Structures are given as C-alpha cells and as structure tokens.
C-alpha cells in the first residue's frame, strides 16, 4: 500500500496543491488588491467618492462572493476552456479559484484598510497629499500587518477550495483523496492527505502570523 | 492673514440638516495666536477645518494669505502645504519612525529624501527630541508624539499652524510644555497659530485673542484679557467663571474690592499693602489669573476696623494705580 510510488504520488500532489494555492493567491491579489483599494477610496466617506463605481464594484463582488465555489467551478468550465484549452489539471483549476478568491481578497483588503484610524488619513489630506499618495504612502503601508494576516486567511481558504476541485479532476492532494479515498474506499489514503493538508494550512498560517508580528511597529 | 466671511457649514443627515457653523466672520492677523473656545459640539472643530478646507463651507468665503480658497479652481493641496495642522490624537503614521513621519509632508511635496531627512532632523531638534529620530510612535509618550506632530506640521515651513484640541489628550504638565513650545515657535518663526480648545487654561496661557463659540455661532470675540476680565456673553461667563462668579462671603462689614486689570505684573501687591499699613487683612474672595505675565481678576478683602489703616490701604492702592472700591457686604450666614 504505502509503496515508493504512493509517496511519489503524494509528493507530486503536494507540489500541485502548493502551485494551485500560491498561483491563485497571486492572481487573486493582482485583481483583488486594486479592487479593494478602489472600494475604500470611492466610498461615500472615502478620499475620492465615486458613487456609481463603488456601487457597481460592490455588486459584482457580492454576486461572485455569493456563488458557492462548487457551482462557480462548474459554471466557469467554458471560460477556463476558452482561456487554457483544457479544464483538467492544476493550472485549469487556478481560473475558477481566482474568480472565487479575487472578490474575497477585495473585501479583505477593504476591511484591512478601513481598520486604519481615519485621523491619519485626514492628517495626510491636511498636508496636501493626493489620493494616490494617500493610497500608496498611508493606506497600504499602515494596513500592511493586517493585509499580511488576511493573506494567510486567503491562502488557507483557497486551499479549502482546491479540495472541491478534486471532484472535477483539478489535481493536487484533494484529487488523490477523492480518487483513492472516496472512489476506491481507501480510507487510509484519505486520512494521510488530510494530514498533509492540515500541515500545509499550519505552515501558511504560522508564516503569516510571524511576518505580521515582525513588521507591525505598533507593538514595541 | 486668515479671513472668514459669512462661513456656514451644514451637514445633511438623515435626521435633517445640522448647522455646524453659521455665518462666521473672523479675521486672524499674521503672527497672532488666536484661540477658539467652546463646549463640545459648538462647531469649533468644523470651523478650524473650514480654514484649510478639510471641510468645504456650504457658503461664505475663506481667504488665506490673499488667496480665496473657496473660489473655484484654486489649488487647495498647494495651499494646504502652507497651513500645518495638528490633532488631539496626534494622527501619526504608526508604521513609520518619528523621522519618517516628519519627512512625509516633504516627500509628498517633491523634496528629495536626503534633503527631507536633513530638515526632519533639524525639526526634531527644534521641538526638543533629537534623540527620538528612529523611534516609532508606539514607543513615544503623548507629549513626545505631539512634538513629532508639531515638527511634521512645520516641515513645509507653513505660515499658519492649526491646532485641533492639540493638548486635550495630554496631562497638565505636558500640556504646559507643549503650549510653551508653541509660544516659542510663534515668537521664533512668526508663525500664525489658531488653537481650538475647550480648556480656558490653554487660551489664558498663550492666546492673544479669543473667539467664544456657542451653538455654531461666535458668541464673543476680543482680546483675551478683555474677554477674561469682563465676559459679555452668557457662554463666556459660563466658561470663565465655571462655578458662578460670586463665591459666598463669609464675613460682613466694609470690604475692599481690588481689580487687577493687567497693569500689575509680578509685584506682591497685597503683601506690600499689608506691610505698609501695619495691619493684616482677611482675603474673602480671590480669582486672579496670569495672562501673558500680567495679573487679571479680582480680590475682595475685609477692611480692618482701624480706620486710619483702612485709609492707608486705599491710598496705597491708588498710588499703585490699582482700581479699588469700598463695598458693603452682608453676612450670608
């Protein structure tokens, strides 16, 4: 049962999972970070209120957030095929993962920035800072520790999503768990993949917490 | 010079419009320390924010150094670099060192980093904490944070400094130190300072003129010594004599009311009077305050039974040019 081939399979699965998680986190932030910033900046009480933009982005984010990932996964199949030419494997899974995680990231970024004391932003305005300067030199640097903590939450959430993608041949540890553990009734394989997933979550969470603590200058 | 003409600010809330400022007319001269005092909710925070247009007035005009900031197309951000501001809660960047905080206004106005850092270090020296350059705000005391905030506000060499309850979060000793620093800066740099506060003490300590705000209006405006000795508005009386003007007198008979109107500096008037007349007297009521090093206020003393001594006392006060009057007080007990 636990042959050399099996451990090789687990090794490949782990790497695929990491590839999916890190890849989709990256793309989710490339989209979600600016959207989150725009949501804060264009808010009625934001630094440059733009009502219509704020409402439209808000609605799009809410719609995507309210679709369960398993549905989004199936619904996105034609889109994924159009982009990559295939719907199987780890890379193909990144497309629905990003679609699901990006709006989540946007909300996380929004909440991190809103944690900043409004007085600091007012102070920057009183010094004649432009909205762009406030975003790049006040909001993002001041929110950095919270952004890092939230990034750890995002990666672990995405890891959870990759499990669902296993059902549609998404690759990674969860595909192994489903193919061996579920379809072939190999409970022990299922258990081992779960242990692997738990360890990965622990590592991501720990890294996030440590970095956030290290860079946060408020607790000296 | 700061000129506010007919400035009003109305907020539209779901409970209807709220007038924070109504028809405010105010001229603040260059180099002056001007105080705006009032209870919470009087509209003073809104008023000070109308000066640098952090709050856009609903109507009226704001002119700073000859530029009407409320007219369309004016470079507000540029104008703000000429108006420093400090806040009750300091509002420092928590993830940046003291030096980086002071560099911030310079960097956003395009000053190169080495030059900004040099200027920031000078400013840290000016505000008396040169050794705190690399400390983060969380490592500083309230007074030190406010010093960093002052340095930051002064970085772009503004002509005007707005202080929004700048000492309200500080203990009395630190408040006195910060006020002294502001006064020194006013003298050294000739910077115009506008202070809003709810503490009379702050006004007495450093302001030359004061506006008393009540219910979104200016209730009274004038030189601090004049307003202090003789507040005309009800709100002014309430602020200046918080427990009511007249204390209970414990004695009856002939009393002497002595009025200090600022002409007497540090001379121990009462002590000298008693020594000169060879007769001690009982102080029944005293409320004097030092404003700008001069004594203001009133004292009521019981005149001695010995009439010659009483006459001598009045003669002494007259000679010193101190206003006094004999009054009859009834025993309240």
């Amino acid at each position: 049962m636990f042959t050399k081939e099996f451990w090789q399979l687990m090794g490949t699965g782990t790497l695929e999972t990491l590839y999916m998680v890190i890849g989709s986190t990256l793309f989710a932030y490339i989209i979600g970070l600016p959207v989150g910033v725009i949501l804060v900046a264009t808010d009625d009480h934001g630094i440059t209120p733009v009502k219509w933009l704020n409402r439209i982005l808000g609605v799009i984010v809410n719609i995507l957030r309210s679709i369960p990932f398993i549905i989004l996964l199936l619904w996105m199949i034609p889109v994924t095929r159009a982009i990559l030419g295939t719907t199987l494997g780890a890379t193909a899974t990144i497309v629905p993962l990003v679609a699901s995680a990006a709006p989540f990231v946007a909300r996380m970024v929004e909440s991190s920035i809103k944690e900043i004391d409004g007085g600091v932003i007012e102070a920057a305005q009183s010094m004649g800072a432009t909205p762009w300067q406030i975003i790049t030199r006040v909001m993002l640097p001041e929110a950095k520790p919270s952004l890092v903590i939230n990034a750890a939450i995002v990666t672990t959430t995405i890891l959870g999503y990759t499990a669902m993608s296993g059902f549609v041949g998404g690759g990674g540890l969860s595909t192994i768990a489903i193919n061996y553990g579920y379809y072939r009734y190999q409970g022990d394989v299922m258990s081992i993949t779960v242990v692997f997933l738990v360890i990965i979550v622990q590592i991501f969470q720990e890294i996030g917490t440590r970095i956030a603590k290290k860079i946060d200058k408020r607790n000296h | 010079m700061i000129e506010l003409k007919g400035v009003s600010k109305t907020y539209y809330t779901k409970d209807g419009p709220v007038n924070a400022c109504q028809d405010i007319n105010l001229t603040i001269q260059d180099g002056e320390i001007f105080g705006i005092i009032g209870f919470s909710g009087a509209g003073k925070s809104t008023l000070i924010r109308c000066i640098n247009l952090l709050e856009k007035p609903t109507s009226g005009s704001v002119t700073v150094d000859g530029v009407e900031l409320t007219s369309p197309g004016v470079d507000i951000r540029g104008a703000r670099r000429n108006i420093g501001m400090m806040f009750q809660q300091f509002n420092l960047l928590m993830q940046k060192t003291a030096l980086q905080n002071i560099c911030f206004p310079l960097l956003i106005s395009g000053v190169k980093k080495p030059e900004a850092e040099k200027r920031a270090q000078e400013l840290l020296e000016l505000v008396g904490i040169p050794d705190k350059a690399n400390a983060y705000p969380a490592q500083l005391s309230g007074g030190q944070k406010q010093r960093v905030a002052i340095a930051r506000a002064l970085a772009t060499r503004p002509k005007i400094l707005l202080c929004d309850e700048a000492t309200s979060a500080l203990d009395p000793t630190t408040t006195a130190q910060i006020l002294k620093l502001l006064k020194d800066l006013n003298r050294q740099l000739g910077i115009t300072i506008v202070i809003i506060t709810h503490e009379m003490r702050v006004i007495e300590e450093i302001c030359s003129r004061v506006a008393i705000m009540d219910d979104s209006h200016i209730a009274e405006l004038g030189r601090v010594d004049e307003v202090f000795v003789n507040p005309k508005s009800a709100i002014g009386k309430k602020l200046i004599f918080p427990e009511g003007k007249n204390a209970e007198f414990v004695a009856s008979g002939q009393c002497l009311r002595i009025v200090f109107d600022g002409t007497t500096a540090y001379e121990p008037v009462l002590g000298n009077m008693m020594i000169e007349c060879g007769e001690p007297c009982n102080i029944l009521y005293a409320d004097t305050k030092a404003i700008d090093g001069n004594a203001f206020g009133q004292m009521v003393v019981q005149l001695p039974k010995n009439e010659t001594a009483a006459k001598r006392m009045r003669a002494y006060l007259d000679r010193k040019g101190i206003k006094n009057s004999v009054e009859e007080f009834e025993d309240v007990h």
Side-chain angles (χ1 to χ4, degrees), chain B residues 119 123 126 149-158 161 185 189 191:
Chain B
R119 169 92 180 124
L123 283 157
L126 183 71
I150 293 174
R152 182 176 69 172
L154 296 176
T156 51
R157 302 179 199 274
L161 178 61
L185 293 170
L189 312 172
I191 190 168

Side-chain angles (χ1 to χ4, degrees), chain B residues 69 228 251 257:
Chain B
L69 302 183
F228 183 77
R257 181 187 292 277

Side-chain angles (χ1 to χ4, degrees), chain A residues 66-182:
Chain A
S66 50
I67 302 172
F69 178 67
I70 191 82
I71 310 285
L72 192 72
L73 193 62
L74 302 171
W75 194 51
M76 289 283 290
I77 284 176
V79 181
T80 310
R81 186 170 288 130
I83 296 174
L84 297 171
T86 176
T87 61
L88 292 176
T91 307
T93 310
I94 288 179
V95 177
L97 279 176
V98 170
S100 180
F104 179 49
V105 168
R107 286 292 182 215
M108 286 297 227
V109 168
E110 185 189 16
S111 100
S112 290
I113 295 176
K114 281 191 171 167
E115 276 170 36
I116 306 168
D117 180 10
V120 180
I121 290 160
E122 190 186 31
Q125 286 175 320
S126 80
M127 290 178 241
T130 61
W132 178 249
Q133 287 172 326
I134 291 174
I135 290 166
T136 55
R137 289 167 182 263
V138 180
M139 286 181 168
L140 294 177
E142 287 292 294
K144 206 158 62 183
S146 168
L147 287 169
V148 170
I149 292 261
N150 284 346
I153 296 174
V154 168
T155 50
T156 53
T157 305
I158 290 177
L159 190 69
Y161 288 169
T162 62
M164 289 182 234
S165 65
F167 272 106
V168 292
L173 285 173
S174 39
T175 302
I176 297 170
I178 286 157
N179 288 349
Y180 293 80
Y182 183 69

Side-chain angles (χ1 to χ4, degrees), chain A residues 117 119-120 122-131 133 137-138 141-143 145 215-220, chain B residues 49 52 54 77 80-81 83 85 87 89-96 104-105 107-109 136 138-139 152:
Chain A
D117 180 10
V120 180
E122 190 186 31
Q125 286 175 320
S126 80
M127 290 178 241
T130 61
Q133 287 172 326
R137 289 167 182 263
V138 180
E142 287 292 294
I215 59 172
D216 193 351
K217 305 300 181 191
R218 285 172 298 183
N219 351 301
H220 276 270
Chain B
R49 281 168 176 72
N52 61 0
L54 279 179
R77 289 195 189 101
R80 280 182 187 156
R81 287 177 186 148
I83 308 174
M85 188 164 188
F87 306 84
Q89 294 304 331
F90 324 121
N91 295 349
L92 298 174
L93 296 162
M94 297 304 285
Q95 306 294 347
K96 298 263 195 287
F104 182 83
L107 296 175
I108 62 168
S109 59
Y136 289 93
Q139 300 166 306
R152 182 176 69 172

